[in-house]
Amino acid sequence: MYTPDLYKNENQEEIKGFLKENSFGTLINQTNGKLCATHIPIELEINADGKEILQGHISKLNPQAEGFKENDQVLAVFTGPHSYISSSWYDHENVPTWNYIAVHVYGRIKIVDYETSVEQLKKLVDKYEINSENPVRVEDLSAKTMREARGIFGFEIEIDEIQATKKLSQNRDDHNYKNIITELEKTENPQSIAVAKEMSKCRK
């Protein structure tokens, strides 16, 4: 991922927090000579060896999985809030741009066994059911329903490299920076307001 030095995020704790909060990612690989992508939850976890990994699952009917046998290298892409930035918000002439946060994780994927896949499902469901009035638990599902779990491949990705971009108008002076935040807040667009909040955290 091309990232000018000014926009590189190398704060590892911040990156981990971002991955946990924005875990619906895009898994990309090459299968039969073609690029393939699947949009799925991909969770940052710690394996039995205490090493950080990504884990998730895809359908066995998904042809993307065929490529894992030929080449285990994959890319997982995660995006956060993003917004158009109008140059009319500056006190000088300049070009419009886009502010955004994104993380690319490069690694090697392996398919895990059925029991491990079910454990992954339990963690995933528990994470997203925590605020439900009547939370669903994988452990409580019937044998008939759980047979559907036989239709997925659980996977783990050993992380080789993480590239993180945080492009939030860092190149602007305080006056223009604050004005961008104000204009973003006026839009009433949830993405734009989220970008404004992130910008506010970066520069008081």
Side-chain angles (χ1 to χ4, degrees), residues 71-98:
N71 184 347
D72 63 355
Q73 294 186 334
V74 296
L75 166 62
V77 175
F78 303 87
T79 57
H82 60 88
S83 181
Y84 175 74
I85 306 298
S86 171
S87 56
S88 67
W89 300 343
Y90 306 149
D91 61 6
H92 59 281
E93 184 178 35
N94 211 305
V95 294
T97 190
W98 209 276

Side-chain angles (χ1 to χ4, degrees), residues 64-184:
Q64 183 176 20
E66 295 174 17
F68 302 154
K69 302 169 189 173
E70 305 164 9
N71 184 347
D72 63 355
Q73 294 186 334
V74 296
L75 166 62
V77 175
F78 303 87
T79 57
H82 60 88
S83 181
Y84 175 74
I85 306 298
S86 171
S87 56
S88 67
W89 300 343
Y90 306 149
D91 61 6
H92 59 281
E93 184 178 35
N94 211 305
V95 294
T97 190
W98 209 276
N99 278 3
Y100 68 96
I101 302 174
V103 172
H104 286 193
V105 181
Y106 299 83
R108 285 159 289 140
I109 195 168
K110 70 172 183 180
I111 300 298
V112 299
D113 59 32
Y114 173 76
E115 287 73 22
T116 303
S117 296
V118 172
E119 288 305 312
Q120 290 179 356
L121 287 174
K122 288 177 182 177
K123 284 184 182 178
L124 183 67
V125 172
D126 287 348
K127 175 182 177 180
Y128 290 102
E129 287 284 343
I130 192 166
N131 294 317
S132 296
E133 187 174 334
N134 298 296
V136 172
R137 296 176 72 247
V138 170
E139 294 90 331
D140 298 333
L141 297 177
S142 67
K144 180 183 177 182
T145 298
M146 284 305 297
R147 278 200 290 274
E148 294 187 26
R150 296 282 181 184
I152 65 168
F153 284 127
F155 63 76
E156 292 181 355
I157 299 172
E158 186 174 337
I159 298 171
D160 291 328
E161 183 183 2
I162 296 178
Q163 297 176 356
T165 298
K166 192 175 185 181
K167 182 181 177 297
L168 297 175
S169 299
Q170 293 96 318
N171 58 333
R172 302 299 169 194
D173 60 35
D174 286 346
H175 171 74
N176 284 287
Y177 191 90
K178 289 176 183 176
N179 199 55
I180 292 167
I181 293 174
T182 299
E183 294 296 334
L184 286 169

